[in-house]
């Protein structure tokens, strides 16, 4: 009996599918051959990389190196743990993760990082544009390039100047007092509180004041702008997810459109109102909202009807970027400062003593003194050292740049030149921050390394500390981060003990249960128990 065959009407469709599938397979193996051949050629030149497989590249090597990490561990741990598994690898090396990721040139030496960010500032890697596009439409300071970037960076610089930011100390204090009241509500509660949730709301409220001079009130209620931003973030993608269902999620475009639309609807009338107020303003002073100072040069370019549409698009894009970047990273840093100080009580005692010396032992007067004399924050040398050491331990991000034809990173110790063209050039902050060749007692939390004189073995190596990166594309908000964290610590450390409580959880990285996850946040949002300090 003859087997059934497909109806003749389906034959053309089946033929088309077969041809397309065959073409896809052929194209895949051609790309695979080119990717692997390129790495083999570099390996023949003596350039550093782990053992390379013609079939798997470095995928199996990376898998083995990070096999001991929790499944939700931060991706930025990868370079350091690859180096730990292969001590002879050196600070500059290639990784071939195609097709599940890009081909990468990892750079974690101060000299190599200087070459790619300062001596010759490479452009941002294209995947970052893909990640931020739903939020900013490619008009943000992170991914803009050339003259457009220079213009807008210069436009926003005055808003983030130390002088202007000091004028925001009263506003930061106001939001911090709300934070303190919320901490007090959690004193003695039976269950641990996720500190990251509280600091997320605090830093979002602060950045709303600094950027737009508005009260988002995230610490008390659900704000449309903040909630839309937070709901958008999980939908953002670099386009390199291993799971195809994640990479090509059909709902992603709708989520991008919807949440961006919600944010734009919220911000549009606020920008119009701020621009209208600028037209009638007679003077500017310290503590001027960042958006106001950015729109000042636009006054002469807009007619009496209001803010020009294109200028409004640009300022709105930056506002969303600052709300995103200025809240999450500062929030994580605050969490880690509390976490590390609780683990190092002798350092915590010294920080509290410093606050007593500068602001007096009567804590109730601290807010008034800060309001009247915000420059006192500059005297907090040990507090600043604690923040810097925290950022060394837990850098909130890293930098990825796109390689260029004809540009190579030179390893001056070996004389080898590492071509960058076609590679994602990864400035691995986590790796350089924990390199024992650069840091004395690298695995220890030692704020005093920031207080010792030049020439002391503990003194940091120039260019080895890079949480805000260096060069023309360094973080524009670094002064705000340091200022905000100092204010919060002054107002909390002498009132509360904040201690992490992970219960019986065993997952850890480098002995830390509060290891970094996601985009740099402490695991599980840093569950904590809060008690009042008895002095």
């Amino acid at each position: 009996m003859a087997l059934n065959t497909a109806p003749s009407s389906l034959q053309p469709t089946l033929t088309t599918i077969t041809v397309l599938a065959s073409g896809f397979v052929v194209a895949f193996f051609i790309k695979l051959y080119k990717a692997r051949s390129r790495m083999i050629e570099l390996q023949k030149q003596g350039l550093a990389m782990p053992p390379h497989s013609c079939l798997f590249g470095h995928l199996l090597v990376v898998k083995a190196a990070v096999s001991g990490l929790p499944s939700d561990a931060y991706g930025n741990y990868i370079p350091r743990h690859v180096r730990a598994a292969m001590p002879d690898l050196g600070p500059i090396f290639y990784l071939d993760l195609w097709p599940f990721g890009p081909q990468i040139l990892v750079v974690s030496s101060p000299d190599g990082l200087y070459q790619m960010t300062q001596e010759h500032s490479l452009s941002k890697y294209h995947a970052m544009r893909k990640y931020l596009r739903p939020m900013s439409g490619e008009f943000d300071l992170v991914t803009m390039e050339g003259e457009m970037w220079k213009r807008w960076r210069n436009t926003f610089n005055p808003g983030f100047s130390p002088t202007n930011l000091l004028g925001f100390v009263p506003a930061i204090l106001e939001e911090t007092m709300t934070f303190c009241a919320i901490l007090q509500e959690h004193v003695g509660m039976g269950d641990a509180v996720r500190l990251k949730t509280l600091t997320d709301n605090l830093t979002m409220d602060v950045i709303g004041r600094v950027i737009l001079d508005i009260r988002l009130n995230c610490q008390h209620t659900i704000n449309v702008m903040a909630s839309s931003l937070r709901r958008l973030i999980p939908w953002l993608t670099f386009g390199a997810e291993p799971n195809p269902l994640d990479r090509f999620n059909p709902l992603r475009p709708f989520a991008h459109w919807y949440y961006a639309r919600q944010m734009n609807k919220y911000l549009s009338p606020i920008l119009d109102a701020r621009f209208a107020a600028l037209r009638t303003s007679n003077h500017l002073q310290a503590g001027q909202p960042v958006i106001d100072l950015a729109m000042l040069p636009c006054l002469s370019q807009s007619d009496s009807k209001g803010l020009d549409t294109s200028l409004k698009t640009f300022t709105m894009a930056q506002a969303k970027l600052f709300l995103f970047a200025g809240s999450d990273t500062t929030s994580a840093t605050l969490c880690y400062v509390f976490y590390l100080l609780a683990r190092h009580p002798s350092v915590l005692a010294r920080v509290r003593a410093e606050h007593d010396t500068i602001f007096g032992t009567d804590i109730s007067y601290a807010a008034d003194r800060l309001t009247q004399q915000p420059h006192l924050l500059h005297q907090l040398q040990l507090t600043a050292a604690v923040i810097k050491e925290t950022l060394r331990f837990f850098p909130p991000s890293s930098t990825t740049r796109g390689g260029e034809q004809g540009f190579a990173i030179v390893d001056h110790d070996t004389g080898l030149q590492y071509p960058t063209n076609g590679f994602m050039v990864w400035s691995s902050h986590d790796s350089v921050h924990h390199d024992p060749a650069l840091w004395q007692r690298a695995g220890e939390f030692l704020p005093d390394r920031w207080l010792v004189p030049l020439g002391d073995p503990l003194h940091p190596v120039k260019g080895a500390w890079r949480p805000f990166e260096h060069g023309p594309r360094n973080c524009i908000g670094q002064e705000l981060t340091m200022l905000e964290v100092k204010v919060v610590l002054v107002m909390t450390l002498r009132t509360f003990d904040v201690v992490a409580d992970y219960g019986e959880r065993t997952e850890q990285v480098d002995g830390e249960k509060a290891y970094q996850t996601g985009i740099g946040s402490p695991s599980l949002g840093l569950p904590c128990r809060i008690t009042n300090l008895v002095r």
Side-chain angles (χ1 to χ4, degrees):
M1 183 175 181
L3 294 174
N4 290 329
T5 59
S8 58
S9 60
L10 292 179
Q11 289 297 333
T13 301
L14 292 175
T15 300
T16 301
I17 293 174
T18 301
V19 170
L20 290 174
S22 300
F24 176 82
V25 171
V26 170
F28 173 83
F29 279 102
I30 289 174
K31 290 181 179 180
L32 177 66
Y33 174 78
K34 290 181 177 180
R36 300 293 185 258
S37 297
R38 184 185 192 196
M39 299 301 288
I40 292 171
E41 182 59 32
L42 293 171
Q43 192 174 40
K44 288 179 179 178
Q45 298 174 28
L47 300 179
M49 66 180 71
H52 187 262
S53 166
C54 294
L55 182 58
F56 296 107
H58 293 128
L59 292 170
L60 298 182
V61 170
V62 170
K63 181 181 179 182
V66 302
S67 60
L69 297 180
S71 60
D72 61 345
Y74 197 19
N76 283 0
Y77 285 127
I78 292 175
R80 175 158 60 98
H81 285 265
V82 169
R83 284 192 68 191
M86 302 170 188
D88 296 331
L89 195 56
I92 304 175
F93 59 93
Y94 290 104
L95 283 179
D96 184 2
L97 305 184
W98 199 89
F100 296 105
Q103 292 185 302
I104 302 170
L105 176 59
V106 176
V107 184
S108 58
S109 70
D111 178 60
L113 295 169
Y114 170 80
Q115 294 175 54
M116 62 177 279
T117 61
Q118 294 166 265
E119 185 177 67
H120 181 87
S121 183
L122 292 172
S123 299
K124 292 301 181 79
Y125 188 58
H126 63 80
M128 181 57 72
R129 296 188 185 91
K130 179 180 179 68
Y131 183 82
L132 292 176
R133 185 182 298 124
M135 185 188 307
S136 62
E138 296 187 344
F139 295 128
D140 60 86
L141 281 175
V142 172
T143 60
M144 282 191 290
E145 300 291 347
E147 291 302 317
M148 178 181 289
W149 171 80
K150 290 180 182 179
R151 172 193 171 191
W152 285 97
R153 175 71 185 230
N154 290 333
T155 298
F156 280 97
N157 276 337
F160 289 98
S161 69
T163 301
N164 189 58
L165 292 176
L166 271 183
F168 280 105
V169 167
I172 297 173
L173 271 169
E174 189 173 4
E175 303 299 345
T176 301
M177 295 302 290
T178 299
F179 177 69
C180 290
I182 293 172
L183 289 182
Q184 186 62 47
E185 292 173 4
H186 288 281
V187 169
M189 290 185 63
D191 296 329
V193 60
R194 294 182 186 268
L195 187 63
K196 182 64 162 55
T197 300
L198 305 187
T199 56
D200 279 348
N201 291 333
L202 165 63
T203 55
M204 185 66 77
D205 280 348
V206 168
I207 200 69
R209 299 288 290 271
V210 173
I211 301 300
L212 298 164
D213 192 29
I214 57 174
R215 299 295 301 271
L216 293 174
N217 290 316
C218 294
Q219 297 186 87
H220 283 311
T221 187
I222 296 176
N223 177 273
V224 173
M225 172 68 215
S227 63
S228 296
L229 175 59
R230 289 166 175 168
R231 290 172 180 172
L232 173 64
I233 291 171
W235 291 97
L236 301 178
T237 175
F238 290 103
E241 291 79 6
N243 187 338
L245 295 179
D246 289 337
R247 189 182 298 193
F248 304 109
N249 191 322
L251 297 178
R252 180 172 283 113
F254 173 76
H256 288 172
W257 169 81
Y258 178 77
Y259 292 124
R261 181 172 178 269
Q262 292 295 101
M263 289 189 287
N264 292 343
K265 284 175 62 178
Y266 185 91
L267 288 172
S268 181
I270 291 173
L271 293 179
D272 287 337
R274 302 250 26 117
F275 190 75
L278 271 179
R279 284 189 176 279
T280 59
S281 177
N282 294 321
H283 67 281
L284 298 176
Q285 58 187 5
Q288 196 72 21
V290 170
I291 286 295
D292 283 17
L293 293 177
M295 289 193 297
L296 270 178
C298 305
L299 287 174
S300 61
Q301 302 176 33
S302 297
D303 56 32
S304 58
K305 295 179 180 179
L307 186 61
D308 177 83
T309 301
S310 62
L311 294 174
K312 186 176 184 178
T313 300
F314 272 83
T315 52
M316 191 179 299
Q318 307 326 310
K320 289 182 285 186
L321 174 70
F322 294 143
L323 288 168
F324 167 54
S327 60
D328 190 75
T329 55
T330 305
S331 173
T333 299
L334 267 172
C335 285
Y336 279 123
V337 172
F338 283 117
Y339 171 74
L340 287 170
L341 285 176
R343 287 172 61 87
H344 299 85
S346 62
V347 177
L348 176 56
R350 291 171 57 201
V351 172
R352 285 169 170 160
E354 179 179 67
H355 295 177
D356 283 344
T357 298
I358 295 173
F359 296 100
T361 56
D362 191 337
I363 302 171
S364 62
Y365 288 112
D368 287 341
R369 291 205 69 186
L370 266 177
T371 300
Q372 297 165 11
Q373 299 173 280
H375 62 275
L376 290 175
L377 292 168
H378 297 320
Q379 297 182 28
L380 296 173
Q381 295 184 19
L382 178 59
T383 304
V386 164
I387 299 169
K388 289 180 178 180
E389 185 71 346
T390 299
L391 288 166
R392 182 184 74 84
F393 251 65
F394 297 105
S397 63
S398 61
T399 296
T400 56
R401 303 291 177 95
E404 290 182 6
Q405 180 71 39
F407 178 73
I409 302 290
V410 181
D411 185 339
H412 288 108
D413 290 333
T414 64
L416 294 173
Q417 299 188 22
Y418 290 79
T420 65
N421 187 42
F423 289 96
M424 182 184 90
V425 187
W426 190 356
S427 168
S428 177
H429 296 173
D430 176 76
S431 187
V432 72
H433 282 189
H434 292 84
D435 190 342
L438 300 172
W439 301 90
Q440 289 284 326
R441 299 159 67 184
E444 299 180 44
F445 179 72
L446 297 172
D448 285 295
R449 72 174 79 247
W450 302 98
L451 303 175
V452 297
L454 186 65
D456 188 290
L458 271 183
H459 194 279
V461 173
K462 182 179 179 180
W465 187 73
R466 325 182 63 87
F468 302 113
E469 203 38 272
H470 292 287
R473 311 231 25 176
N474 64 355
C475 175
I476 195 173
Q478 57 186 291
E479 292 286 347
L480 175 59
T481 296
M482 295 296 291
L483 178 74
E484 183 177 349
V485 175
K486 286 179 184 178
V487 170
V488 175
L489 296 181
V490 167
M491 299 306 299
T492 56
L493 290 184
R494 294 180 294 164
T495 302
F496 303 100
D497 275 317
V498 181
V499 181
D501 182 1
Y502 279 95
E504 298 180 358
R505 180 179 173 87
T506 59
E507 292 90 345
Q508 56 184 271
V509 176
D510 304 324
E512 305 288 358
K513 292 184 178 180
Y515 59 86
Q516 291 178 285
T517 63
I519 54 176
S521 298
S523 64
L524 300 183
L526 192 58
C528 288
R529 295 193 182 276
I530 302 168
T531 57
N532 284 126
L533 176 65
V534 178
R535 306 188 76 187

